[in-house]
Amino acid sequence: MSRILCPNCHRPEKACICAFTADIANDIHLVILQHPNEVSHTKGTVALLAKSLRKCQVLVGESFDDEQGFLQVMAQYQPVLLYPSEQAHVLDEHLITKLLNYQPNTQYMPDTRHNHQVSTEDNSKPLCLVILDATWKKAYRMFMLSTKLQQLPQVCLPDHLANAGQYHIRKVAKKNALSSLEASCYALAILEQDEHDCLPISPEHAGKYQPLLEKFQQFNQFQLSFRPGHKTPLEET
C-alpha cells in the first residue's frame, strides 16, 4: 500500500515540511550547487530554501564547468561563491560596496587579507550568490573539479555567524557547522542589508530571513522528534 504524499513537498504526510517554509522575496538570486548524494537526504535543508525563496535555483552535480544551467548563470549574473577558502573575503559592508560598485573597466578587486588581487566580473549584471550543498569533503571535491568555481570571487561569513550553527540533526565534520539554509540566509541578509538598518546581522537579527531561520529551529525539533527516546523541550522541563 503506497504512502500518501504531500502534493506540495512530495514527502509522506507524516514527514511533510510545508509548515517550516516561509515566503521570502529575496533580492539576490541564490544558486545552490547540490551534490547528488544530498538530493534524497531527508535531513537536508535545500528543500526548505527552494520552497521559501522566490529566487532560488538548484543544480545537481559534481563538476559544473560544462553544466548548461551553470553556464547560463555565469552569462546572466555576476556570481559570488560562498566558500571558506584561503582566498575568501569576509562579507562586510566594505566588500559589498566593492562588489556592487565594481566598474567594468576595473580588472581586479584587491584582497586586503592576502595582499594580492582577485579578478571579478562585470557588475552591469546583477549579483547572485552561489553555495555548495554537500559534506565538507565532497564540497571540496566539487570546488576542485570546477575551474569556473575556483575563478569566482569567494566570500565567507564573519566568525560570529559562521560559529552560530544550530544544525543539530546531522553529524558534521566541524563544530558549529552551518546548514546550507543558515549560511544562505546569513549571507543574503548581509548582501541585502538596508543602509538605514544600523543593527548588524546576527542569529537574532537577520532581516527578512529571520522568519525562515526561526522555522529552521522548528524543523530541527521536528526531525529530532523521530529519534527514539527524544523529548521535546516541554517534556524535559
Side-chain angles (χ1 to χ4, degrees):
M1 184 174 179
S2 60
R3 295 180 295 178
I4 299 176
L5 301 180
C6 169
N8 187 31
C9 69
H10 307 293
R11 297 192 180 201
E13 286 190 338
K14 184 179 180 181
C16 174
I17 63 171
C18 294
F20 310 110
T21 62
D23 184 16
I24 299 176
N26 51 312
D27 298 323
I28 294 177
H29 186 63
L30 176 67
V31 178
I32 303 169
L33 305 182
Q34 187 175 47
H35 191 277
N37 289 1
E38 296 294 318
V39 174
S40 59
H41 209 301
T42 58
K43 297 176 183 177
T45 61
V46 165
L48 291 179
L49 270 173
K51 291 187 177 300
S52 296
L53 303 186
R54 296 186 187 179
K55 297 179 182 179
C56 183
Q57 180 178 2
V58 181
L59 301 173
V60 179
E62 284 190 281
S63 176
F64 293 89
D65 280 351
D66 299 316
E67 209 282 333
Q68 288 302 310
F70 188 63
L71 293 178
Q72 291 176 4
V73 168
M74 295 282 289
Q76 185 177 355
Y77 295 96
Q78 179 189 349
V80 177
L81 178 64
L82 182 65
Y83 185 74
S85 66
E86 291 185 359
Q87 291 75 36
H89 306 261
V90 177
L91 270 176
D92 57 25
E93 64 275 14
H94 303 296
L95 176 60
I96 294 169
T97 299
K98 291 177 181 177
L99 290 172
L100 296 179
N101 295 328
Y102 169 73
Q103 298 301 316
N105 60 354
T106 301
Q107 295 297 317
Y108 297 94
M109 179 175 67
D111 180 352
T112 56
R113 295 197 308 161
H114 299 90
N115 296 318
H116 63 270
Q117 295 179 319
V118 178
S119 62
T120 60
E121 297 290 334
D122 181 351
N123 83 328
S124 62
K125 298 181 289 188
L127 282 178
C128 80
L129 180 68
V130 178
I131 72 163
L132 304 181
D133 181 60
T135 62
W136 283 107
K137 184 176 181 179
K138 289 184 171 64
Y140 176 74
R141 175 175 170 78
M142 292 165 68
F143 179 75
M144 296 303 296
L145 285 174
S146 301
T147 302
K148 286 184 171 60
L149 284 180
Q150 298 171 38
Q151 294 173 345
L152 295 181
Q154 296 155 36
V155 298
C156 61
L157 294 171
D159 287 343
H160 74 281
L161 294 176
N163 296 324
Q166 298 297 313
Y167 198 24
H168 303 311
I169 57 179
R170 289 184 67 177
K171 287 185 177 181
V172 291
K174 295 186 178 183
K175 185 178 180 180
N176 294 326
L178 296 178
S179 65
S180 294
L181 183 146
E182 292 170 297
S184 297
C185 285
Y186 290 141
L188 288 171
I190 294 173
L191 288 168
E192 298 178 359
Q193 188 171 27
D194 192 293
E195 60 182 6
H196 301 297
D197 189 352
C198 59
L199 292 176
I201 299 301
S202 69
E204 296 77 31
H205 179 75
K208 70 175 74 171
Y209 300 95
Q210 193 62 38
L212 182 53
L213 289 169
E214 292 171 359
K215 290 281 189 179
F216 173 68
Q217 295 297 320
Q218 299 172 22
F219 175 72
N220 265 281
Q221 292 301 317
F222 173 70
Q223 291 290 346
L224 288 171
S225 70
F226 292 103
R227 294 183 179 179
H230 172 74
K231 293 184 179 180
T232 64
L234 183 62
E235 294 171 331
E236 291 174 348
T237 58

